[in-house]
Amino acid sequence: MAERTLRGARLGGQSFEDERGIEFAGRQQVGYRCPQGHEFEITMSDEADIPAQWECPRCGQEALNVAGNPVEEKVEKPARTHWDMLLERRSETELEEILKERLDLLRDGEIGPAHLHRPRRASRKPA
């Protein structure tokens, strides 16, 4: 019975629709040339924004648009460091005061890892 179920149909689908009455989207061919001289074309929609650069399929380098569209320079913000973010919240004088307080606490053995604490002098009372 299993043999009859596949009879008359192909595995992997086959469409019986024809292309009459179908209007395809507008397309355009965009040419690119890489620094090694490789030239290739990419098919894109008429409505697409054409990029100035495209990766060359042969060598992987950045190929430029043959039409000469200028490459847009991206404006990059400088990286904010931890110090920059800290200065947004506190002034340098406040930071110096906090550092002095924390160093005093560390030296007195009130904060920090136990193995770094200095042994305290025990005051001996006469018995």
Side-chain angles (χ1 to χ4, degrees):
M1 237 202 276
E3 296 172 8
R4 289 187 228 153
T5 57
L6 295 177
R7 191 175 294 172
R10 291 188 182 177
L11 291 177
Q14 179 179 2
S15 174
F16 295 107
E17 296 180 18
D18 58 4
E19 296 178 0
R20 283 182 271 156
I22 297 175
E23 189 173 326
F24 293 105
R27 299 177 190 166
Q28 61 179 329
Q29 294 290 325
V30 182
Y32 289 93
R33 182 180 303 123
C34 79
Q36 292 191 1
H38 302 135
E39 291 188 16
F40 58 95
E41 289 186 340
I42 303 291
T43 304
M44 296 187 185
S45 169
D46 282 338
E47 301 170 2
D49 293 330
I50 308 300
Q53 294 179 334
W54 197 272
E55 184 178 324
C56 177
R58 284 187 177 173
C59 63
Q61 294 184 3
E62 289 295 321
L64 296 177
N65 191 332
V66 177
N69 294 348
V71 177
E72 297 176 9
E73 295 294 326
K74 293 182 181 177
V75 179
E76 294 184 23
K77 297 189 318 187
R80 285 176 44 199
T81 63
H82 179 70
W83 180 249
D84 294 333
M85 291 184 267
L86 192 60
L87 288 178
E88 291 174 4
R89 296 189 308 269
R90 301 186 187 270
S91 68
E92 286 192 43
T93 54
E94 285 178 310
L95 291 171
E96 287 175 6
E97 290 173 14
I98 293 171
L99 177 63
K100 185 177 183 272
E101 290 173 11
R102 300 302 284 183
L103 285 174
D104 289 341
L105 289 173
L106 184 64
R107 288 180 184 130
D108 291 341
E110 295 182 31
I111 61 170
H115 71 278
L116 293 179
H117 292 177
R118 294 181 184 162
R120 295 184 182 179
R121 294 182 197 158
S123 57
R124 295 185 182 179
K125 294 183 182 178

